[in-house]
Amino acid sequence: MPNHLNRRTFLAAIPVISPALLAAEAKAEATTTPTKTPPRPTRGIVLYPFDLTLTDWPERCHRAGITTIALHAAIRLDVLIDFVQSDAGQDFLERCNKLDIAVEYELHAMGELLSREYFHKDPTLFRMDETGRRVVDANCNPFSSAALDIIAERAVRIAKILRPTTHRYFYWPDDGAKWDYSPEAKELNASDQALLVENHILRALRREVDPQAMLSHISYHSTLAAPKYVKPEEGIFLEFAPLQRDYTKSIADRDAATSRPNDQHPDPATNGGYLDILKENMVRFGADTTQVLEYWLDVSKFSNWNRPAVKLPWNSEVFQADITAYRAFGVKHISTFATYIDADYLRLHGDPQAQLDEYGKALQ
């Protein structure tokens, strides 16, 4: 097949949307959550659906002054969709609405937006590696109009099911994975390539789902660096996630060494390098909508993503200094992963409400 397929021909040959997703979309039409406008500065947390075994998360956030709960899917989007459409999920959404807590969905979504099963039909939908081979391991070919159309159409379908109450959508690339090395990509870094996809998704969302839609561009691992050539369309906002920074010292400690696990990811060697990256990105994307996505409450990270979960190593001094540093940059929207804080965590380590209260209060 040619690199740039006719969209109608391609979609006629391959079923893009599964029957299960179509059924979920139809069900979602009857269970729309009211949208809260205008947008307000975010004081957020990010959770897995499984973390809601701690059933009073909405009430805990309300007490702490946390304004936003984002539900996260790292691999399996169907698990999140199943939860949202379950009785427990609908109850969670209703309680958030009553407490004026916004709900968002932050997703590593590329594997869902462009199924790897398409590779045998048309390898040119997928990226080229350093050796010049088309590979199905991660992300996509951002120069393929057929790939972009499939991705955008799938994003629209998902957006009709997982409806944020803030107009903010999060369809992240594959987790820290590589992008395209074709001749077309020679001058473009990973952030440029991601923006080609994100701009296309945003146009579709605004046209078909939500005229006020905004879409995250995550500055994380391979997409840390600011884009060089591709301009973000109005409505693309920066989300900065400094995963490998030193959490025993403030982000304001510019000389603190980071914990880069290997050479696969271009994370900087020091916290100061992260701040420089944040500053350069904010010039490209604007300060008003920039969100910092941190890991202060991320028990999964501090547990090395293994269970049983360790006790959260909360460092109040570092946290407060971080907030001061981010506010000095003009950051208004701040969130943190809080994954693995669930019913088992309470049983093992006690109640984390004091840390939630300190977090929420510092952001007000």
Side-chain angles (χ1 to χ4, degrees):
M1 285 187 176
N3 185 33
H4 298 288
L5 296 175
N6 176 276
R7 176 176 176 273
R8 184 181 299 276
T9 301
F10 184 81
L11 294 181
I14 301 176
V16 176
I17 306 301
S18 70
L21 188 57
L22 286 169
E25 179 189 342
K27 184 176 179 181
E29 294 292 340
T31 57
T32 303
T33 304
T35 299
K36 304 176 187 304
T37 54
R40 58 191 173 184
T42 303
R43 305 192 294 269
I45 59 167
V46 181
L47 301 170
Y48 287 121
F50 305 112
D51 297 321
L52 300 177
T53 56
L54 185 58
T55 56
D56 63 344
W57 261 116
E59 291 74 21
R60 288 175 175 273
C61 289
H62 182 68
R63 291 198 299 273
I66 294 169
T67 64
T68 306
I69 298 176
L71 298 181
H72 179 51
I75 301 174
R76 293 290 301 274
L77 185 59
D78 60 327
V79 173
L80 177 54
I81 289 174
D82 287 347
F83 170 76
V84 167
Q85 297 193 321
S86 69
D87 290 343
Q90 290 297 301
D91 177 68
F92 165 78
L93 295 177
E94 289 173 9
R95 285 154 55 211
C96 287
N97 184 52
K98 289 178 180 178
L99 294 170
D100 196 32
I101 294 173
V103 177
E104 298 177 334
Y105 303 95
E106 304 210 21
L107 318 170
H108 279 296
M110 187 61 73
E112 294 281 347
L113 299 178
L114 182 64
S115 172
R116 305 309 187 229
E117 294 180 7
Y118 293 156
F119 187 75
H120 77 284
K121 290 284 187 180
D122 183 11
T124 68
L125 299 172
F126 295 90
R127 77 182 192 92
M128 185 178 288
D129 70 10
E130 297 92 329
T131 70
R133 296 182 304 116
R134 293 287 172 188
V135 290
V136 71
D137 59 347
N139 290 317
C140 67
N141 174 4
F143 308 102
S144 165
S145 59
L148 294 181
D149 283 346
I150 293 169
I151 289 167
E153 194 160 324
R154 180 83 170 187
V156 164
R157 296 277 186 170
I158 294 169
K160 292 178 179 179
I161 303 166
L162 301 178
R163 301 189 177 198
T165 63
T166 59
H167 302 293
R168 301 199 310 170
Y169 297 80
F170 302 78
Y171 296 118
W172 298 337
D174 284 320
D175 193 346
K178 293 182 179 181
W179 279 85
D180 189 53
Y181 287 85
S182 70
E184 292 171 289
K186 184 177 180 180
E187 301 297 327
L188 303 185
N189 65 19
S191 292
D192 285 311
Q193 295 182 47
L195 270 175
L196 291 174
V197 180
E198 291 154 5
N199 286 343
H200 200 77
I201 292 174
L202 180 63
R203 289 192 292 268
L205 290 175
R206 289 191 161 184
R207 183 175 63 248
E208 301 185 39
V209 181
D210 181 355
Q212 299 180 63
M214 301 176 67
L215 183 67
S216 161
H217 169 82
I218 191 165
S219 172
Y220 166 81
H221 278 343
S222 59
T223 57
L224 266 171
K228 295 179 179 179
Y229 299 106
V230 179
K231 181 179 179 180
E233 294 203 1
E234 181 184 358
I236 301 289
F237 66 94
L238 174 68
E239 186 173 30
F240 173 73
L243 176 65
Q244 300 297 334
R245 55 163 287 203
D246 182 353
Y247 281 90
T248 68
K249 300 176 182 177
S250 170
I251 191 77
D253 185 342
R254 294 187 59 90
D255 295 328
T258 63
S259 56
R260 290 184 294 181
N262 50 52
D263 292 332
Q264 178 183 355
H265 302 305
D267 289 69
T270 64
N271 281 357
Y274 272 127
L275 290 177
D276 293 340
I277 290 169
L278 174 60
K279 182 178 181 179
E280 185 176 2
N281 271 289
M282 290 179 74
V283 170
R284 302 288 198 281
F285 291 90
D288 285 347
T289 58
T290 290
Q291 172 160 299
V292 165
L293 176 59
E294 266 288 1
Y295 300 84
W296 299 300
L297 295 169
D298 188 5
V299 172
S300 70
K301 170 182 165 57
F302 295 113
S303 302
N304 198 29
W305 295 277
N306 292 313
R307 292 184 185 271
V310 303
K311 186 177 178 62
L312 178 70
W314 179 255
N315 189 319
S316 180
E317 182 179 352
V318 167
F319 165 70
Q320 295 287 348
D322 286 349
I323 295 299
T324 299
Y326 286 134
R327 294 302 194 209
F329 268 67
V331 174
K332 299 176 181 178
H333 303 274
I334 294 178
S335 191
T336 179
F337 279 97
T339 47
Y340 284 20
I341 300 181
D342 55 12
D344 283 342
Y345 182 89
L346 255 69
R347 178 178 55 82
L348 290 171
H349 303 299
D351 197 318
Q353 189 63 39
Q355 288 76 38
L356 296 178
D357 290 343
E358 181 177 351
Y359 171 73
K361 181 179 180 181
L363 298 186
Q364 293 182 42

